[in-house]
Amino acid sequence: VTDIERTEVDFICRTLNVQPIAHIDHFSPEKMGSCGLAQEVTIAGSTSKVVKFTNIVNMGQTITILMRGSNRMVLDEADRSVHDALCVVRSLVKKRFMIGGGGAPEAEC
């Protein structure tokens, strides 16, 4: 892996359960993580590349959802849908009850 964007450093640190290191003099074993393999992988059917970590020793609490679509509008809609679903999960974790929307409380079965 040759280069990691600055915006991705925090996510990668949380994924590998390590602390970011700004200078080579600050390297120490407790600040470093390890994985079996870190590689740049080309996504099938495109020229886009992603960094893939496998066999992470001390796994953090993050996940990555990789979305692909035919155009930007489809991707934006998928992103909003995933965001809405994650907000529902977060709300259910905070308070363990839910009322369905769209007039569902008034519907009779």
Side-chain angles (χ1 to χ4, degrees):
V1 179
T2 57
D3 190 22
I4 297 174
E5 295 293 327
R6 185 178 270 311
T7 57
E8 297 173 349
V9 170
D10 183 52
F11 178 77
I12 292 171
C13 287
R14 285 187 284 133
T15 300
L16 298 174
N17 207 14
V18 296
Q19 296 177 359
I21 300 170
H23 195 270
I24 194 81
D25 294 337
H26 299 129
F27 266 46
S28 63
E30 64 272 1
K31 290 186 178 179
M32 297 179 69
S34 65
C35 64
L37 180 64
Q39 61 184 357
E40 274 189 340
V41 179
T42 303
I43 300 171
S46 78
T47 58
S48 300
K49 292 184 179 184
V50 295
V51 178
K52 180 180 177 183
F53 297 100
T54 55
N55 299 327
I56 298 172
V57 175
N58 191 7
M59 185 79 163
Q61 297 290 320
T62 62
I63 63 165
T64 299
I65 300 173
L66 184 61
M67 293 189 283
R68 295 176 64 187
S70 59
N71 58 38
R72 192 77 202 150
M73 187 175 71
V74 171
L75 285 174
D76 289 342
E77 187 59 35
D79 184 46
R80 282 190 291 275
S81 296
V82 169
H83 181 267
D84 291 347
L86 292 173
C87 287
V88 169
V89 170
R90 183 186 64 203
S91 295
L92 286 173
V93 167
K94 287 181 178 179
K95 295 182 180 178
R96 300 220 176 253
F97 61 88
M98 178 175 70
I99 298 175
E106 293 83 24
E108 286 188 39
C109 296

